Amino acid sequence: MGNSIPQKTRYTLITVLFIVLFLFSLFLFSKRTLEPSVSIYQQSFSLTESHVHSSVPTFPEPPAVLEPLNSSTHPPIPSISQADELDLSSNASSMDDQLSAPDKQNPPADNKAVDNGEEKKREMCDLYRGTWVKDEEYPIYKPGSCPYIDEGFDCQSNGRKDSDYLRWRWKPDGCDLPRFNTTDFLERLRGKRLMLVGDSMNRNQFESILCLLHEGLTNKSKMYEVHGHKISKGRGYFVFKFEDYDCTVEFVRSHFLVKGVRMNGQGNSNPTLSIDKIDKTSGRWKRADILIFNTAHWWVHGKTARGINYYKEGDYLYPKFDAVEAYRRALKTWAKWIDKNIKPAKKLVFYRGYSSAHFRGGDWNSGGSCNGETEPILSGTFLETYPLKMKIVEEVIQEMKVPVILLNVTRLTNFRKDGHPSIYGKRLTEGKKISTRRQDCSHWCLPGVPDTWNELIYATLFFNKQFSKE
């Protein structure tokens, strides 16, 4: 009995062993219980993000840099200082809420996941890749309802009978453009000056935006041209005031954006183009808050295309100069002016890309035609046509210091061979037949394709935080 463990010690050891076993069992139980909880949480979070990506219809914020030349590009919108931010109307707020609201039947568990999903969805959606879809709510304004369309674009009044070309809406792949809202658009322009600068294609767009805004105004007498001028192709400067919003929408004609001279020092006709000097209208450009530039179609006309005794740099007149290289240098001159004179914290700059023409059997002055076209091109290699001019535009914009938004309408206009005035660019004279001798297959009927360009501008403002009042 001398080697036996005292009874008191035995009880102590048994108690300690029992406690150790209890703690070990508790540890195992806790580990098995906690692990499924973590796994379930992770799975739930993953499903939430997946749901957000697939169900929230959002819109892209423009990328920080341009994509490769074979893709549509739109650099970032420059920031606007807090003092110059534009107000949002009540209409705009409701539209914002509607477009950004998550699925009510499956509300996401994490608001942060919603925000992240929206941002990723926006980055994935390319505004300029898509297709045209029939929409019976189009056009936004009816033919004959707008007093600001000049004769050349007023196809229905000029005798065009078909109307299906009016009912197409641009649908980007992966997202929808917001419906144009006049009140919201003007609220974002409040106290600002929007100016379109360019050739007759930009005048086409200018008349379109006037009609879109006119359609939505309750008191249309509060919209007027400040000098009393009526719209006509002969005048190169218009300023339309929107009294209730203290803003203007303006057009400045500048075919090339660089300095052109029609007469020489002796008063004789001797047109030249100084591709290293900015156009004389640039003094007006400085006054605008939002600028929309373009130049393209005049670079393939007559003396501009031939380049003989036409292009100048400094005092030197080139006997022969390539028109494509001249276009590149002219755009670089424009880009330098923008970088020097535009403050991106205060102003916003767009460059509208090349708008496709659809001549058959010739050009604008050699028997080319497009009459009888009533449907868009829905398939074929022409839809991927992307002119060298647009690659030059992208290269120039990439090198600029000031962010410029490329309104890249080239491919979306490739579809629309049905949208041109063709033989309906002039009023019908009683007793005379419509002439098919010279047709307009470059400009666009209004209502029509340029309305979409302005919807894209509206969408850019709509989805950019700098144009919203927090």
Side-chain angles (χ1 to χ4, degrees):
M1 295 298 294
N3 295 331
S4 64
I5 301 173
Q7 186 173 2
K8 185 174 181 181
T9 303
R10 186 184 307 150
Y11 286 145
T12 301
L13 289 173
I14 292 172
T15 302
V16 170
L17 181 61
F18 177 81
I19 292 172
V20 169
L21 289 173
F22 174 79
L23 291 174
F24 182 72
S25 300
L26 183 63
F27 171 76
L28 289 176
F29 176 80
S30 300
K31 185 174 186 300
R32 290 177 59 85
T33 304
L34 287 172
E35 280 180 348
S37 298
V38 174
S39 175
I40 290 170
Y41 173 76
Q42 289 174 338
Q43 182 181 13
S44 174
F45 185 79
S46 175
L47 288 173
T48 299
E49 285 213 341
S50 174
H51 169 72
V52 170
H53 276 265
S54 62
S55 66
V56 180
T58 55
F59 196 78
E61 286 286 337
V65 294
L66 288 171
E67 297 172 4
L69 294 180
N70 63 351
S71 64
S72 301
T73 55
H74 38 290
I77 298 176
S79 62
I80 294 178
S81 65
Q82 188 69 29
D84 287 312
E85 285 187 1
L86 301 174
D87 294 335
L88 261 171
S89 67
S90 57
N91 287 348
S93 298
S94 63
M95 289 176 67
D96 280 323
D97 293 341
Q98 180 182 355
L99 283 171
S100 61
D103 188 345
K104 292 182 180 179
Q105 294 181 346
N106 300 291
D110 191 345
N111 289 334
K112 187 174 181 180
V114 174
D115 293 339
N116 292 338
E118 287 179 355
E119 291 299 321
K120 291 177 182 177
K121 185 85 172 183
R122 291 177 184 181
E123 291 174 2
M124 292 170 61
C125 182
D126 185 348
L127 293 181
Y128 305 99
R129 286 284 185 178
T131 189
W132 293 87
V133 296
K134 274 289 181 70
D135 191 329
E136 293 303 319
E137 293 185 20
Y138 274 58
I140 297 173
Y141 55 97
K142 303 303 180 186
S145 67
C146 179
Y148 307 120
I149 302 175
D150 74 39
E151 179 182 358
F153 311 142
D154 197 3
C155 303
Q156 293 283 306
S157 297
N158 295 343
R160 183 167 181 173
K161 301 300 183 185
D162 65 297
S163 60
D164 281 353
Y165 73 95
L166 297 169
R167 296 186 175 89
W168 293 96
R169 172 174 59 84
W170 178 248
K171 169 69 172 68
D173 295 335
C175 58
D176 281 302
L177 297 179
R179 294 283 177 165
F180 192 89
N181 183 306
T182 297
T183 302
D184 183 33
F185 191 99
L186 289 171
E187 282 291 350
R188 294 168 193 269
L189 290 186
R190 184 178 290 278
K192 302 292 183 183
R193 300 178 70 165
L194 184 152
M195 182 180 291
L196 292 95
V197 181
D199 56 25
S200 57
M201 299 302 297
N202 249 20
R203 182 168 56 83
N204 209 173
Q205 183 178 0
F206 169 69
E207 293 178 21
S208 162
I209 199 168
L210 293 181
C211 292
L212 289 168
L213 296 174
H214 177 266
E215 176 68 17
L217 284 179
T218 303
N219 187 348
K220 293 176 172 42
S221 67
K222 296 295 186 72
M223 171 186 178
Y224 52 86
E225 209 287 324
V226 297
H227 305 106
H229 298 317
K230 291 185 177 181
I231 292 287
S232 71
K233 65 180 181 180
R235 188 172 296 280
Y237 183 48
F238 295 98
V239 180
F240 275 80
K241 178 82 171 181
F242 294 82
E243 209 170 77
D244 290 339
Y245 299 89
D246 189 30
C247 65
T248 60
V249 175
E250 309 176 26
F251 172 72
V252 176
R253 182 168 58 205
S254 177
H255 295 135
F256 304 103
L257 304 181
V258 290
K259 185 178 180 181
V261 177
R262 293 185 178 182
M263 299 289 182
N264 60 21
Q266 291 72 43
N268 299 318
S269 178
N270 184 31
T272 59
L273 194 65
S274 295
I275 54 179
D276 61 337
K277 296 178 181 177
I278 204 68
D279 188 53
K280 62 182 181 181
T281 63
S282 60
R284 287 173 172 160
W285 310 353
K286 292 180 180 180
R287 305 171 195 164
D289 300 286
I290 302 174
L291 286 153
I292 305 166
F293 291 96
N294 96 295
T295 181
H297 285 267
W298 277 71
W299 292 87
V300 297
H301 289 179
K303 200 162 187 178
T304 316
R306 291 190 296 272
I308 299 173
N309 294 321
Y310 183 65
Y311 294 111
K312 290 180 67 176
E313 285 190 310
D315 294 327
Y316 182 73
L317 177 65
Y318 289 98
K320 172 72 175 175
F321 198 80
D322 179 64
V324 173
E325 181 58 26
Y327 180 75
R328 186 193 309 274
R329 295 191 189 185
L331 275 185
K332 287 187 174 182
T333 298
W334 165 80
K336 288 177 183 176
W337 186 93
I338 294 292
D339 282 342
K340 181 179 178 181
N341 293 279
I342 298 298
K343 295 180 180 179
K346 298 284 186 179
K347 297 177 185 288
L348 182 64
V349 181
F350 290 87
Y351 186 95
R352 183 183 52 74
Y354 181 79
S355 166
S356 300
H358 295 88
F359 288 98
R360 301 186 309 257
D363 209 335
W364 67 280
N365 59 351
S366 58
S369 65
C370 56
N371 63 307
E373 300 289 0
T374 59
E375 293 286 334
I377 300 170
L378 298 177
S379 63
T381 56
F382 184 81
L383 296 181
E384 291 302 315
T385 302
Y386 201 62
L388 177 58
K389 285 189 184 69
M390 284 306 301
K391 295 179 181 179
I392 293 172
V393 168
E394 291 185 348
E395 289 170 0
V396 170
I397 289 177
Q398 279 182 325
E399 295 172 358
M400 295 176 67
K401 296 176 183 178
V402 172
V404 172
I405 303 163
L406 179 56
L407 196 69
N408 201 341
V409 302
T410 301
R411 289 191 177 94
L412 70 87
T413 57
N414 284 349
F415 290 84
R416 297 305 306 276
K417 64 182 172 64
D418 59 321
H420 301 289
S422 65
I423 59 176
Y424 301 105
K426 287 191 174 183
R427 296 272 192 271
L428 285 173
T429 304
E430 190 174 350
K432 288 190 176 183
K433 293 183 179 180
I434 296 176
S435 172
T436 59
R437 186 174 180 181
R438 181 170 288 189
Q439 301 186 20
D440 185 353
C441 306
S442 299
H443 298 96
W444 303 93
C445 296
L446 293 177
V449 171
D451 299 332
T452 295
W453 307 347
N454 291 317
E455 287 182 276
L456 288 163
I457 287 174
Y458 171 59
T460 303
L461 302 181
F462 183 92
F463 285 101
N464 189 268
K465 294 177 182 178
Q466 297 294 343
F467 283 81
S468 302
K469 185 176 180 180
E470 297 295 340

